Amino acid sequence: MNMQFNTRAPVYLQVVDYFKKKMALGELRAGDEMPSRRELANDLKINPNTVQKAFKEMEDQQLITTERNRPSRVTTDDAILKHIRSEIVDDAVAVFVEAIQELDVSVDELVEKIKRQYKEGTYDDRSVGS
């Protein structure tokens, strides 16, 4: 497991976000077993208490379920799993819109550029006048 931590957000929330993305991408599916807390702490080289806090947060958000003496599992609630994906997309769009509004680009021009780049896969094209 390869995770890069930043200093802007608490580590436990970064762990939660990591697993949300795995769920949204379908890499973790409904009912899949989560790694053990000890194993995850060891893999990520973080304090086990931090992992415990992340799991508690995921339980509070109903992303995972934990039964006594059993491994935690990804929720089987499709509505929650769909909401995760929607939340991630909404967050990415909000960051994008905030950045692009400063450039005073019309919505029509913006939509056309997004459609073209999405279709062509030219996300890294940073040339002027594109």
Side-chain angles (χ1 to χ4, degrees), residues 59-78:
E59 288 168 353
D60 289 348
Q61 292 184 28
Q62 299 178 332
L63 305 175
I64 63 172
T65 57
T66 306
E67 296 177 25
R68 174 171 259 162
N69 297 323
R70 298 262 226 220
S72 296
R73 294 191 173 277
V74 175
T75 184
T76 56
D77 187 329
D78 285 335

Side-chain angles (χ1 to χ4, degrees), residues 8-118:
R8 294 182 298 254
V11 172
Y12 83 96
L13 289 178
Q14 293 178 60
V15 172
V16 171
D17 287 344
Y18 172 82
F19 282 106
K20 280 183 172 182
K21 287 177 186 166
K22 291 282 191 190
M23 291 172 198
L25 292 170
E27 294 174 19
L28 277 176
R29 299 184 190 284
D32 280 356
E33 192 173 296
M34 297 288 289
S36 76
R37 288 155 175 80
R38 184 174 293 145
E39 175 186 343
L40 187 59
N42 189 44
D43 286 351
L44 297 178
K45 297 181 181 20
I46 60 176
N47 189 306
N49 292 331
T50 301
V51 173
Q52 179 60 33
K53 192 169 183 178
F55 272 63
K56 173 74 169 101
E57 180 65 26
M58 288 189 284
E59 288 168 353
D60 289 348
Q61 292 184 28
Q62 299 178 332
L63 305 175
I64 63 172
T65 57
T66 306
E67 296 177 25
R68 174 171 259 162
N69 297 323
R70 298 262 226 220
S72 296
R73 294 191 173 277
V74 175
T75 184
T76 56
D77 187 329
D78 285 335
I80 290 172
L81 294 171
K82 286 178 183 175
H83 177 74
I84 293 168
R85 182 173 169 76
S86 178
E87 179 183 296
I88 290 171
V89 171
D90 288 350
D91 290 348
V93 169
V95 169
F96 171 74
V97 167
E98 184 178 332
I100 206 73
Q101 281 179 329
E102 296 176 8
L103 299 175
D104 196 28
V105 177
S106 75
V107 172
D108 291 337
E109 179 185 1
L110 183 59
V111 168
E112 186 55 40
K113 286 183 178 290
I114 291 169
K115 284 181 180 178
R116 187 187 81 236
Q117 288 189 18
Y118 196 85

